[in-house]
Amino acid sequence: EPEVTQTPSHQVTQMGQEVILRCVPISNHLYFYWYRQILGQKVEFLVSFYNNEISEKSEIFDDQFSVERPDGSNFTLKIRSTKLEDSAMYFCASRAGEIETQYFGPGTRLLVL
Amino acid sequence: QKEVEQDPGPLSVPEGAIVSLNCTYSNSAFQYFMWYRQYSRKGPELLMYTYSSGNKEDGRFTAQVDKSSKYISLFIRDSQPSDSATYLCAMIYMFSGGYNKLIFGAGTRLAVHP
């Protein structure tokens, strides 16, 4: 069964460093997302991406964040200068069509020290 | 008022019990309702997906939506220890441009003990 994959599974970084989280969505899906879940809190929406551009973003998704689909398979989330409060699980999700369910990857656990 | 409210539990039941998990929501525009299961330190896994009001059954799982009360439920029959996980309700929020996002509840931790 097709699935969303994410790498790395864990990342530890120093405050102020740049990190890139990688995702490979399900191959025929058209809409891509990043969500995050701070420990003990809700899963929350960061950004959606369609047709090679951001379609919607939350207030969390400030200038320190960017997303890219550099080729036909990968979808990346970059945090330019990490802060302590960026420590969270980051989930990539994808869906096929307009009102289709979203399928989530296993997540990347980011720890900023 | 929070958009989606869900009792975080934890809920502990014996194997074989019927489990009822619930969420309330405030936005009457929500039309699509999901239940995801999340094992510890894993991604949410889609369990069931319901459009508008009514019931949907899939094996031991039944999802119910009551739009008049803004209340959704997930029932698990004959619960198994393998059902032990956090159950997240989620709703599709539609942006004006036609795109959407999921809004999640806090998740209910369920433990089914043998």
Side-chain angles (χ1 to χ4, degrees), chain B residues 14-26:
Chain B
E15 185 174 353
I18 296 174
V19 176
S20 171
L21 305 165
N22 311 294
C23 287
T24 58
Y25 62 94
S26 58

Side-chain angles (χ1 to χ4, degrees), chain A:
Chain A
E1 186 176 317
E3 57 183 19
V4 177
T5 60
Q6 289 185 244
T7 53
S9 57
H10 294 79
Q11 173 118 29
V12 180
T13 190
Q14 296 292 322
M15 192 169 59
Q17 295 296 302
E18 174 183 287
V19 295
I20 297 176
L21 310 183
R22 291 182 167 80
C23 168
V24 179
I26 295 173
S27 63
N28 63 339
H29 284 190
L30 302 175
Y31 299 82
F32 313 111
Y33 299 81
W34 285 100
Y35 289 80
R36 79 172 184 191
Q37 186 176 31
I38 294 171
L39 190 63
Q41 297 187 23
K42 292 183 180 184
V43 177
E44 54 187 349
F45 168 78
L46 289 178
V47 66
S48 60
F49 192 86
Y50 171 73
N51 201 26
N52 281 320
E53 59 183 26
I54 290 174
S55 47
E56 299 289 343
K57 59 184 181 179
S58 73
E59 61 276 5
I60 302 165
F61 195 89
D62 61 22
D63 292 344
Q64 294 301 311
F65 291 88
S66 62
V67 289
E68 200 176 38
R69 189 157 160 81
D71 53 42
S73 58
N74 290 285
F75 179 50
T76 62
L77 173 69
K78 183 193 291 188
I79 310 175
R80 257 180 279 281
S81 178
T82 49
K83 306 184 190 70
L84 296 176
E85 55 264 36
D86 294 328
S87 296
M89 278 287 277
Y90 287 81
F91 295 109
C92 174
S94 69
R95 66 180 169 94
E98 280 194 15
I99 304 291
E100 297 286 338
T101 51
Q102 295 180 26
Y103 293 88
F104 283 74
T108 293
R109 181 169 295 280
L110 176 66
L111 179 60
V112 182
L113 301 176

